[in-house]
Amino acid sequence: MTRPLLATIDPQAMRHNLQRVRQAVGDARIWAVVKANAYGHGLAAAYEGLRGADGFAVLLVQEAQQLRQLGWRGPIVLLEGVFEARELEACSRLGLSHVVHCDAQIDWLAAHKSQLGQHVLLKMNSGMNRLGFAPERYRSAYARLSALPQVEAVDCITHFSQADSPMGASAQLAIFNTATADLAAERSLSNSAASLLQPQGEQPPLHSDWVRPGIVLYGASPDYPQHSAQDWGLEPAMSLHSRLIAVQHLAVGAAVGYGNTFIAPEPMRLGVVACGYGDGYPRHCATGTPILVDGVRTQVIGRVSMDMLCVDLRPVPQADFGSEVLLWGRSPRYGSLLSVDEVAAAAGTIGYELLCALAPRVPVQTMGATA
Ligand SMILES: *Cc1c(COP(=O)(O)O)cnc(C)c1O
């Protein structure tokens, strides 16, 4: 038997999550965000699950190229635009839309020789202070871009820094709306959190022509712990599972793992799981981190090491060598769930980071794919 650690990707879950976003955003069109190797799920598997989207949003030209090779002929947008003038040639060749967030990108466009008009999304810095033109500089950038013969269409885009709080987006939205009020352009506003969390009461709706969900498509929650993925009706698209490769009987006072951070309070059994931080499982997951053995919830004990971690078998007396272990996702054998958000919270981080950090040494299997 090969090492039993495996990540299973479920395109059907992505299809379901995309549908969930459609219900929430009405007739807005959807850029499915597939940057960072589709949040660790693999671009090809994500394409399989998300080809019902209206477009794909990526970070890199190479990702766009891969989508074209997979057969996608629809819109693709580069979320940070081009990083150097030369990449504009790839935009023309592959028919890519691209964000423009700074003057240098406009200069490159002005010097670009192209037969095809470019579709650009002009980014406003509405308060996050990462990328984009300040509101007072936005309209002149818009005018300059629109006047370029290389540019066919200019849309407006901004990004919320607090989309996961019901009030958070409204100040930025007001700034964006004021500065773009009379521009005849399409607008793209919302990430996952803003797509699902429609504001309450007096606040204006976060309506836009295009939304940009990422994390929800993969079945994790954008605002855990306020809402779990289950609260949002999402299905995990990645399940990380393994097996027990050893079982130990501990006497009272026996220590477990590097640093002896766990001491057995009573005689107990411990399971050793083939998964460690070398696989992308966070080393910060200390004793108490939830984990499922044979579909039963128990806890990680002691420190996570590079290739292994230990689990408490007291709640699972029937567990033995070879028992299934679910690190996150849905148990292939028992169907029980453990959200990546919960595991991430135990490590002081968010589900996004765990999904993206899946290590290249972990074999990935796409459900329904012919091997
Ligand atoms: C990554 C990204 C998104 C998607 O964010 P989620 O929180 O995963 O939905 C949307 N817009 C931009 C500009 C991004 O960079």
Side-chain angles (χ1 to χ4, degrees):
M1 186 175 83
T2 55
R3 187 169 183 249
L5 180 65
L6 185 64
T8 304
I9 308 297
D10 182 1
Q12 181 53 41
M14 295 187 224
R15 236 166 269 139
H16 166 89
N17 298 331
L18 179 63
Q19 205 44 43
R20 199 42 211 86
V21 174
R22 283 237 184 264
Q23 284 165 4
V25 302
D27 54 10
R29 278 161 289 162
I30 298 175
W31 290 115
V33 181
V34 294
K35 61 192 178 187
N37 196 30
Y39 291 49
H41 294 64
L43 196 51
Y47 178 64
E48 178 65 27
L50 300 173
R51 62 210 298 174
D54 301 289
F56 286 96
V58 299
L59 182 71
L60 306 172
V61 167
Q62 294 93 299
E63 295 166 326
Q65 188 153 19
Q66 203 184 334
L67 283 166
R68 290 291 184 234
Q69 279 160 2
L70 288 165
W72 178 251
R73 294 166 154 278
I76 299 177
V77 62
L78 299 177
L79 282 167
E80 296 179 12
V82 297
F83 294 93
E84 57 171 341
R86 218 161 38 121
E87 288 191 321
L88 288 171
E89 290 157 27
C91 291
S92 296
R93 186 169 33 114
L94 298 168
L96 309 182
S97 307
H98 49 104
V99 165
V100 167
H101 66 80
C102 64
D103 290 309
Q105 289 174 324
I106 305 184
D107 296 340
W108 297 336
L109 264 170
H112 178 55
K113 292 183 181 51
S114 154
Q115 322 302 329
L116 292 168
Q118 307 269 325
H119 175 219
V120 302
L121 290 84
L122 181 61
K123 182 135 184 172
M124 186 188 299
N125 171 11
S126 58
M128 191 167 188
N129 291 311
R130 233 171 33 174
L131 298 183
F133 290 87
E136 60 276 15
R137 290 209 50 227
Y138 192 77
R139 300 183 69 90
S140 64
Y142 187 92
R144 190 181 165 211
L145 265 180
S146 307
L148 292 179
Q150 291 89 344
V151 171
E152 183 178 284
V154 185
D155 293 347
C156 301
I157 182 170
T158 196
H159 194 58
F160 298 129
S161 58
Q162 279 195 300
D164 52 355
S165 98
M167 296 293 290
S170 57
Q172 282 184 255
L173 181 65
I175 289 169
F176 179 79
N177 283 344
T178 304
T180 62
D182 55 344
L183 299 178
E186 293 200 329
R187 289 160 172 74
S188 173
L189 294 176
S190 301
N191 61 2
S192 291
S195 296
L196 293 185
L197 264 177
Q198 290 304 314
Q200 326 258 303
E202 299 295 292
Q203 297 158 64
L206 292 173
H207 177 79
S208 66
D209 302 292
W210 287 86
V211 294
R212 305 186 305 272
I215 193 71
V216 288
L217 300 175
Y218 307 100
S221 172
D223 67 338
Y224 187 84
Q226 285 97 301
H227 298 92
S228 69
Q230 266 189 301
D231 292 339
W232 288 121
L234 303 168
E235 271 294 317
M238 181 196 292
S239 298
L240 184 64
H241 47 97
S242 186
R243 292 189 183 280
L244 295 185
I245 57 168
V247 172
Q248 304 293 342
H249 296 260
L250 303 180
V252 180
V256 176
Y258 289 116
N260 297 350
T261 61
F262 181 85
I263 307 291
E266 58 182 326
M268 60 182 277
R269 290 197 318 145
L270 155 165
V272 180
V273 182
C275 181
Y277 63 79
D279 301 298
Y281 190 90
R283 187 173 171 279
H284 283 99
C285 284
T287 298
T289 302
I291 189 165
L292 305 190
V293 176
D294 280 341
V296 177
R297 203 179 160 97
T298 177
Q299 60 168 346
V300 171
I301 55 177
R303 278 197 192 138
V304 172
S305 47
M306 188 183 288
D307 310 319
M308 285 174 272
L309 58 84
C310 296
V311 291
D312 184 346
L313 293 184
R314 285 174 293 179
V316 215
Q318 77 282 6
D320 211 337
F321 179 88
S323 282
E324 182 201 88
V325 177
L326 182 77
L327 288 311
W328 62 70
R330 185 182 284 285
S331 150
R333 173 125 186 240
Y334 302 92
S336 23
L337 279 171
L338 176 58
S339 89
V340 70
D341 302 307
E342 224 186 311
V343 179
T349 183
I350 53 177
Y352 297 67
E353 188 180 3
L354 271 56
L355 297 173
C356 289
L358 186 73
R361 82 175 185 191
V362 180
V364 178
Q365 193 171 69
T366 304
M367 287 167 77
T370 42

